[in-house]
Amino acid sequence: MEIIIAALALGGMGILFGLLLTFTSKVFAVPANPTRDAIREVLPGANCGGCGYPGCDGCADAMASGKAGVNACPVGGPAVADQVAAILGVEPADASSRNVARVICQGDIDHCRTKFRYEGIQDCVSASLVNDGNRSCKYACLGLGSCVKACAFDAIHIDERLKIAVIDEDKCVACGKCVETCPKSVLALHPATEPVRLLCRAAEEGILVSDNCRKGCIGCERCLLACKFGAITMVNHLPVIDKDKCRSCMMCAEVCPTTAIWANWDERRIAEIDQSQCIGCTMCKRNCQFEAVAGMVKQPHEITDACTGCGICAEKCPKKCITMKVREHTRDRNSKVGNTPEQVLAVQSAAPAAKPARTPEQEAKIKAALEAKAAREKVAKEQTSAEA
C-alpha cells in the first residue's frame, strides 16, 4: 500500500511539474525567427568563434538582425555568404573583402641569423621565453609550429628546411586563431586580393635590421619617394601603406632594395588606348606620373612599357577610351617619353636668338673705359715701384 501511495505521489508531482513547465514555456516562449533558422541551417556548424560571436547560433542571430555581414562566417566562405545573401534578399558580398592569414616575415634560416641552438619544447611560446627566441631578429618567425597546432583547418605548416610558417590561402578561413597564438605577432589577417604588403615588422634602425636579416626593411624610404600618390608614411622606420590611397602601381615594391615589400606581380596592370577613339587631348599624358604616354597633340596617343598600371589616365580620359588590363611582361622604366606637350618642348629647345650688334657709340664708351682702366693700373704700378 505504501508503495502505491509513493508511486501515486511521484506521478502526481510529475504531472504537476510537467504542467508548470508547459505553462512556463508557453508564457516565456521566444518567438520563432524563420530567417534566423534558415541562416543557421546553411552555416557549417564549426562553432570556431572565428566570426567573433559565440558559435554558429550567435552568428546566425547577428546576421538575421543585421549586426553582421553576410560574409561574417569565415569557415563557410563565399559559398555560404551567397546563400545567406539570398535568404536576406541582399547583394552578395564582394569577393575582394575576403581575408586570409599572412606571414609578415621573411626571416627564414637562409636570411636571418640564428643566435643559438634551441633544443627545448618545440613550441614558439616556450622558445620565446628563452632570450626572446633563437633568431637574431626579435621580430622573426621562430618556426616551431604554435600556429599549426592552433589552426583547425590544416591551413598552416612549417617549412622543414627554412623553418618558417607557410599559409595555404585556399584552406585559410581567417578565423584568427593563429594570429592570437603567435607570440611574435608575425601573423596577421589581410585582404586576399591585396596588391602590395610589407613583409617585415622590424621597427629598428636600418643597420640593426640588416645585421640580423638580409630581407628586412632597412627604412631607406625609397618606397616613400617612389609613391606618387601619398599612400606611404614612415612609422618607427617602417612604411605604412594606406590602402585607400594605394593605386596598385607597385612602385614601392619595385624600388625596395631588400624585397621587404611584396607585390602581386602577376596582376600588375597596364593601360591600353583605343586608337580609334583617342582625340589627342593630352589629358592622359599630363596626368601620368610615370611619363608613360606618348603622342602629339590632336593625334592618337600610345602607352609605353613604362606604365605602372595606376589607372589615373583611364580616370582622367574624357572619351573613356583607356582600359586597364593585366600586363604580359615586366615594366620597362627606360621606356619613359616625358609628359610635356611637344609644342612646349619645341619652344624650350629652340636656339636662343643672336644678340644684337653694339652701336658705334657703345663701342667708343667701352674703349674709353678700358683705356682709363689701363692708365690707372699703370699709375698704381709706378707708385709701387717708387716706394720700393
Side-chain angles (χ1 to χ4, degrees):
M1 189 64 182
E2 294 179 354
I3 295 176
I4 295 175
I5 294 173
L8 291 174
L10 289 174
M13 292 174 64
I15 293 172
L16 177 61
F17 288 140
L19 293 173
L20 287 174
L21 289 174
T22 302
F23 176 75
T24 304
S25 66
K26 295 293 184 182
V27 173
F28 298 101
V30 177
N33 185 338
T35 302
R36 181 261 181 204
D37 295 339
I39 294 174
R40 180 63 184 85
E41 286 297 321
V42 302
L43 294 180
N47 292 311
C48 62
C51 57
Y53 295 95
C56 292
D57 288 338
C59 184
D61 288 334
M63 286 179 174
S65 62
K67 296 179 180 178
V70 297
N71 59 347
C73 177
V75 178
V80 169
D82 291 344
Q83 294 181 61
V84 174
I87 293 171
L88 295 175
V90 298
E91 291 293 326
D94 186 359
S96 63
S97 63
R98 174 178 175 258
N99 287 339
V100 293
R102 295 270 167 79
V103 180
I104 314 301
C105 179
Q106 299 183 96
D108 53 46
I109 60 175
D110 283 353
H111 301 105
C112 184
R113 294 189 298 110
T114 302
K115 291 189 293 187
F116 57 88
R117 183 177 179 180
Y118 176 75
E119 296 182 349
I121 301 173
Q122 295 300 294
D123 179 79
C124 298
V125 177
S126 300
S128 65
L129 299 176
V130 183
N131 196 21
D132 209 16
N134 65 335
R135 295 291 173 87
S136 301
C137 176
K138 64 181 180 180
Y139 302 92
C141 173
L142 298 179
L144 296 178
S146 292
C147 52
V148 176
K149 299 170 187 174
C151 181
F153 306 97
D154 191 34
I156 308 178
H157 71 274
I158 301 297
D159 190 304
E160 292 301 324
R161 189 186 75 81
L162 298 176
K163 300 299 181 184
I164 193 169
V166 179
I167 307 291
D168 185 339
E169 295 187 7
D170 293 332
K171 295 181 178 180
C172 179
V173 299
C175 66
K177 296 295 184 182
C178 57
V179 178
E180 297 174 2
T181 302
C182 181
K184 293 291 186 177
S185 300
V186 166
L187 294 161
L189 297 179
H190 286 257
T193 56
E194 197 172 32
V196 292
R197 64 178 180 270
L198 179 65
L199 296 181
C200 182
R201 294 184 54 258
E204 297 180 324
E205 295 284 350
I207 188 171
L208 299 177
V209 176
S210 58
D211 282 348
N212 294 325
C213 180
R214 296 201 302 272
K215 284 197 171 184
C217 175
I218 57 176
C220 64
E221 300 188 3
R222 291 189 185 181
C223 54
L224 175 67
L225 299 175
C227 181
K228 305 295 186 181
F229 309 104
I232 296 180
T233 54
M234 300 298 294
V235 179
N236 293 330
H237 311 293
L238 292 173
V240 177
I241 302 173
D242 185 336
K243 301 298 190 301
D244 293 331
K245 294 182 180 179
C246 178
R247 305 284 311 186
S248 302
C249 70
M250 304 185 188
M251 284 300 298
C252 53
E254 185 174 307
V255 301
C256 181
T258 63
T259 67
I261 297 182
W262 173 92
N264 188 2
W265 301 116
D266 293 337
E267 296 297 326
R268 197 176 198 182
R269 304 178 301 169
I270 187 172
E272 186 176 69
I273 299 178
D274 183 348
Q275 300 287 303
S276 64
Q277 298 294 322
C278 179
I279 59 175
C281 66
T282 74
M283 186 66 74
C284 56
K285 190 170 186 177
R286 283 179 282 163
N287 283 279
C288 180
Q289 300 291 322
F290 305 97
E291 303 178 14
V293 183
M296 300 287 289
V297 177
K298 296 184 179 181
Q299 296 293 326
H301 285 37
E302 294 181 356
I303 303 295
T304 72
D305 285 343
C307 176
T308 65
C310 70
I312 288 290
C313 57
E315 292 181 4
K316 298 295 183 179
C317 179
K319 299 294 289 184
K320 303 302 177 186
C321 62
I322 302 179
T323 55
M324 305 302 298
K325 64 176 185 178
V326 177
R327 66 188 309 142
E328 300 175 353
H329 45 76
T330 58
R331 189 182 87 93
D332 183 2
R333 68 181 68 188
N334 296 319
S335 295
K336 292 181 179 180
V337 294
N339 53 18
T340 304
E342 282 73 10
Q343 292 91 335
V344 177
L345 290 176
V347 172
Q348 292 177 344
S349 60
K355 293 182 179 179
R358 297 188 184 106
T359 63
E361 293 79 6
Q362 290 174 331
E363 291 289 351
K365 290 181 179 179
I366 292 173
K367 183 178 179 181
L370 292 175
E371 290 176 349
K373 181 180 178 182
R376 288 194 301 271
E377 291 177 350
K378 182 179 180 181
V379 171
K381 186 177 182 181
E382 291 177 348
Q383 289 179 350
T384 302
S385 300
E387 292 176 355

